[in-house]
Amino acid sequence: MGSRASTLLRDEELEEIKKETGFSHSQITRLYSRFTSLDKGENGTLSREDFQRIPELAINPLGDRIINAFFPEGEDQVNFRGFMRTLAHFRPIEDNEKSKDVNGPEPLNSRSNKLHFAFRLYDLDKDDKISRDELLQVLRMMVGVNISDEQLGSIADRTIQEADQDGDSAISFTEFVKMDNH
Amino acid sequence: MDGAELAGQILYTWLTLVLGLILLPSAFGVSLGISEIYMKILVKTLEWATLRIETGVAKQSVLKNSASVGIIQRDESPMEKGLSGLRGRDFELSDVFYFSKKGLEAIVEDEVTQRFSSEELVSWNLLTRTNVNFQYVSPRLTMVWVLGVIVRYCVLLPLRLTLAVIGISLFVIGTTLVGQLPRNRLKNFLSEVVHLTCCRICVRALSGTIHYHNRQYRPQKGGICVANHTSPIDVLILTTDGCYTMVGQVHGGLMGIIQRSMVKACPHIWFERSEMKDRHLVIRRLKEHIALKEELPILIFPEGTCINNTSVMMFKKGSFEIGGTIHPVAIKYNPRFGDAFWNSSKYNIVSYLLRVMTSWAIVCDVWYMPPMTREEGEDAVQFANRVKSAIAVQGGLTELPWDGGLKRAKVKDTFKEEQQKNYSKMIVGNGSLKSELD
């Protein structure tokens, strides 16, 4: 028989994840069920193939990049902690959190961290800048074969022109945030 | 009396009881009401257990008690709304949010992969295997559970195994005997008797309670019966109420013996593995079969694989190209009493049958539906979808356009290409105009 979710996830681990990500007890248990059901190899970690097995993710134009976001630098497996940490970026902000302590560590799902996540989808070489090439790559993934290279190039150029403020022909994180705000 | 004699006596009494109380009534299609009493007790026990669990859990943290509500609220809006755009809007850096949101939603919970594992129950039904999130509630509940384990494994399982063995042996012997007769009406009649008796015995072997609805629409001779597929037991459930011509691959082992003996009594269509790949061959043989109007209706499961009975997945168009009248049938199991879904990647057929035989019971509803035929100007795929919708609505199942084959195979790239095309149309819609104005 398959592994039983609640017995394999130790209480201390659950508490730690709860503190770090802000998910509730029941949410974490359900997500652990989900994690184990995706883990076909039953070794406590997910590989890229495990993610690819989800049809709705496999047909997503940015599927590969999203999957990449789960894996730490240079690694091929992600454990449950890492899985939860990435998902925590998109946990809906609850009302009781809005009045929380402003001086505490920034919650994982703040607007700024969500923007970081999106920025990293573009910035493949992690140099904190979105170059023209990186922008083109993501654009190409989203449009497939339906737009010509020249047209795509001009879209990229125009976007960089609008966002770039320090004249380095690349988009930094601050410029990225500014673009999002209007 | 010494040990061997005692064992012999027990066996003898056991078999007489089984014969008298179960086998003979089955042969005549009569019910003594024992299973009804069992079911009543069972339902009362499960209701009591649910009540205890709910009062127990209310004291602790509130558990998400609706399994069908997801963890997250999915955004089902199409790409146009999701990207908050009108046609011809420009590309924006934040477009990437839409795709990442959809991607993460799919990672947390998707419509497809959940169909290939057993349905989650709203409330525990006192079986260890379904105990996912339910913590210890009260000593009385635990005692009932222990009692349940004893009853299921020590009383019900031997009984069911006996019945199953008797049922299958009678079937093989019966069909072989009937097969000696020349093809005439007597043979058909006897073949039906053997079929129905043995199926009823096998259904008792699973403690099956089946409700047939709309029996006036039972599939007629010369037609094709299509149904949603959850497990090999589907076949048993349908054949208890009428005889069908089966279609399928030739197997080895026990299944092979059963297949070969079935063919002796009435014609079934078995294919060699190599022949299955040749679609035209398959369709031709099926066409030949229904052309002889007095033949029994063909039974086909167009999904091609077992789905977990919460949804109906894509119907393969092959069965709908044959022509003839389609008689749709919807089968819905009640998951409280036992999980009928065969997860073939997790369990082989023997462990699956053992799990079924140690559940409480198999309770299901079968709805026969009015016959459907292909309309003018409708192609096989549209017809298949129409039949699929009808079955989904009748059985209260979700309808999905996804292919059941995704259980094992990768999804086709055409779907991704479609999304890319849609997105391109959006950002470039009037794009050619724009680049001229720049």
Side-chain angles (χ1 to χ4, degrees):
Chain A
M1 297 196 203
S3 47
R4 289 283 133 233
S6 38
T7 51
L8 285 191
L9 185 64
R10 295 187 318 279
D11 273 332
E12 315 96 60
E13 219 185 317
L14 211 152
E15 285 302 317
E16 284 171 40
I17 296 179
K18 194 165 166 182
K19 235 183 284 173
E20 191 184 344
T21 62
F23 280 111
S24 74
H25 192 104
S26 55
Q27 284 172 326
I28 297 177
T29 334
R30 279 194 71 100
L31 285 168
Y32 189 71
S33 283
R34 174 65 170 167
F35 181 84
T36 38
S37 71
L38 289 174
D39 178 16
K40 291 282 188 266
E42 289 193 354
N43 52 2
T45 59
L46 294 179
S47 66
R48 286 190 171 77
E49 285 79 38
D50 288 322
F51 282 99
Q52 287 284 2
R53 234 175 263 124
I54 305 172
E56 286 167 49
L57 184 62
I59 65 169
N60 188 318
L62 293 182
D64 286 331
R65 287 288 169 99
I66 297 171
I67 295 174
N68 242 0
F70 280 87
F71 293 86
E73 187 64 50
E75 292 196 16
D76 283 330
Q77 304 282 336
V78 57
N79 61 11
F80 184 56
R81 290 293 282 270
F83 182 70
M84 292 301 281
R85 219 171 276 135
T86 317
L87 284 181
H89 287 299
F90 288 82
R91 184 176 61 83
I93 300 178
E94 252 122 77
D95 288 321
N96 61 5
E97 285 183 76
K98 291 196 177 130
S99 48
K100 265 216 178 105
D101 171 26
V102 184
N103 294 329
E106 193 180 10
L108 277 175
N109 66 342
S110 66
R111 182 88 192 146
S112 161
N113 276 321
K114 279 195 176 80
L115 287 165
H116 248 297
F117 182 86
F119 188 79
R120 269 174 297 166
L121 286 180
Y122 286 103
D123 184 20
L124 220 74
D125 58 4
K126 299 213 198 324
D127 63 354
D128 284 330
K129 282 195 204 309
I130 304 177
S131 67
R132 182 177 188 270
D133 269 337
E134 287 171 338
L135 183 56
L136 268 178
Q137 271 189 35
V138 173
L139 271 170
R140 184 51 78 193
M141 286 175 88
M142 291 199 282
V143 307
V145 301
N146 298 292
I147 299 184
S148 69
D149 279 333
E150 301 92 50
Q151 236 178 346
L152 214 60
S154 59
I155 293 177
D157 286 328
R158 193 192 54 232
T159 314
I160 295 187
Q161 221 174 21
E162 280 178 21
D164 188 20
Q165 295 183 338
D166 57 7
D168 61 353
S169 302
I171 305 178
S172 71
F173 184 59
T174 346
E175 292 162 353
F176 184 73
V177 172
K178 283 224 182 71
M179 282 294 289
D180 177 59
N181 280 339
H182 68 63
Chain B
M1 291 189 263
D2 65 332
E5 274 191 40
L6 186 59
Q9 273 280 48
I10 295 177
L11 194 61
Y12 180 70
T13 343
W14 173 251
L15 284 175
T16 331
L17 271 176
V18 168
L19 185 72
L21 293 177
I22 300 176
L23 291 179
L24 283 178
S26 292
F28 296 103
V30 165
S31 167
L32 283 180
I34 302 179
S35 24
E36 274 81 18
I37 299 173
Y38 168 66
M39 289 304 295
K40 280 208 186 81
I41 300 177
L42 190 60
V43 169
K44 284 237 157 50
T45 319
L46 289 177
E47 278 171 3
W48 171 83
T50 316
L51 230 61
R52 300 271 338 171
I53 293 175
E54 277 169 7
T55 43
V57 166
K59 295 186 209 135
Q60 307 160 17
S61 56
V62 176
L63 221 58
K64 219 171 202 47
N65 61 3
S66 178
S68 53
V69 172
I71 310 174
I72 51 174
Q73 196 121 23
R74 298 201 69 168
D75 187 1
E76 299 294 341
S77 53
M79 197 188 282
E80 284 80 20
K81 252 181 73 196
L83 283 166
S84 63
L86 316 150
R87 291 192 68 129
R89 67 189 267 304
D90 294 330
F91 162 73
E92 284 176 28
L93 283 170
S94 51
D95 281 355
V96 85
F97 269 122
Y98 171 78
F99 288 113
S100 35
K101 187 156 83 92
K102 286 248 147 237
L104 286 160
E105 282 171 358
I107 290 176
V108 170
E109 188 175 54
D110 76 300
E111 280 297 330
V112 183
T113 55
Q114 58 164 290
R115 311 293 172 186
F116 300 137
S117 57
S118 301
E119 183 184 1
E120 253 189 68
L121 290 173
V122 174
S123 172
W124 190 35
N125 64 350
L126 297 177
L127 294 176
T128 331
R129 61 192 70 142
T130 48
N131 188 0
V132 176
N133 279 327
F134 297 100
Q135 297 126 329
Y136 173 81
V137 172
S138 81
R140 271 207 278 176
L141 197 64
T142 317
M143 262 189 54
V144 173
W145 169 71
V146 171
L147 192 64
V149 171
I150 296 176
V151 166
R152 279 184 297 123
Y153 280 84
C154 304
V155 175
L156 291 178
L157 182 61
L159 173 65
R160 289 173 183 168
L161 278 178
T162 320
L163 284 176
V165 167
I166 295 179
I168 296 178
S169 331
L170 269 182
F171 184 68
V172 173
I173 298 172
T175 47
T176 317
L177 286 176
V178 172
Q180 309 299 328
L181 297 170
R183 264 208 98 169
N184 59 16
R185 293 199 42 197
L186 179 65
K187 178 178 187 179
N188 290 344
F189 174 70
L190 283 179
S191 154
E192 225 180 282
V193 168
V194 169
H195 251 101
L196 292 177
T197 311
C198 297
C199 281
R200 284 190 201 120
I201 297 175
C202 288
V203 166
R204 299 284 169 99
L206 302 171
S207 294
T209 308
I210 311 172
H211 294 118
Y212 296 99
H213 305 265
N214 303 334
R215 296 186 76 198
Q216 68 272 23
Y217 293 126
R218 272 170 59 186
Q220 302 299 320
K221 299 204 166 144
I224 302 175
C225 174
V226 307
N228 56 317
H229 199 28
T230 306
S231 98
I233 298 180
D234 291 342
V235 172
L236 196 61
I237 291 185
L238 288 177
T239 46
T240 318
D241 199 40
C243 288
Y244 297 89
T245 302
M246 315 280 177
V247 179
Q249 262 184 21
V250 170
H251 285 99
L254 182 62
M255 272 304 298
I257 299 176
I258 298 179
Q259 281 179 331
R260 282 193 292 275
S261 43
M262 277 170 93
V263 169
K264 292 191 185 116
C266 68
H268 293 284
I269 306 176
W270 302 123
F271 290 98
E272 300 291 333
R273 195 167 220 120
S274 46
E275 288 177 319
M276 286 295 286
K277 305 231 172 64
D278 185 352
R279 270 192 58 223
H280 296 286
L281 177 67
V282 173
I283 294 184
R284 189 160 51 84
R285 271 181 76 175
L286 293 173
K287 272 199 172 121
E288 284 166 5
H289 188 90
I290 60 169
L292 317 162
K293 289 270 182 242
E294 332 86 54
E295 293 294 351
L296 300 168
I298 304 179
L299 179 59
I300 295 184
F301 296 104
E303 281 165 315
T305 186
C306 294
I307 312 291
N308 77 345
N309 209 231
T310 55
S311 68
V312 182
M313 297 186 102
M314 186 180 93
F315 274 9
K316 300 206 187 334
K317 62 178 175 154
S319 343
F320 300 88
E321 287 173 330
I322 306 170
T325 328
I326 302 276
H327 299 268
V329 178
I331 307 175
K332 178 85 178 97
Y333 292 88
N334 187 337
R336 280 203 98 195
F337 299 100
D339 178 28
F341 169 58
W342 181 29
N343 191 343
S344 47
S345 44
K346 231 176 164 188
Y347 306 106
N348 61 17
I349 187 79
V350 176
S351 36
Y352 165 69
L353 286 174
L354 277 177
R355 281 167 65 91
V356 170
M357 287 196 206
T358 51
S359 314
W360 293 117
I362 298 288
V363 177
C364 67
D365 289 288
V366 176
W367 287 274
Y368 294 111
M369 293 157 65
M372 297 167 107
T373 40
R374 182 141 58 125
E375 282 168 15
E376 283 291 324
E378 196 182 35
D379 70 358
V381 175
Q382 290 164 331
F383 183 37
N385 284 334
R386 191 158 61 92
V387 175
K388 184 180 72 158
S389 304
I391 292 183
V393 166
Q394 178 65 273
L397 306 162
T398 327
E399 202 189 322
L400 291 178
W402 297 94
D403 183 356
L406 290 172
K407 205 195 241 182
R408 302 203 170 86
K410 285 212 145 49
V411 66
K412 287 204 268 247
D413 281 330
T414 42
F415 293 104
K416 188 194 268 194
E417 285 157 19
E418 216 180 291
Q419 287 211 37
Q420 288 169 330
K421 200 144 144 216
N422 282 343
Y423 180 68
S424 314
K425 274 200 215 133
M426 277 192 58
I427 62 172
V428 170
N430 307 326
S432 37
L433 274 175
K434 281 191 94 68
S435 49
E436 281 171 23
L437 291 172
D438 275 357

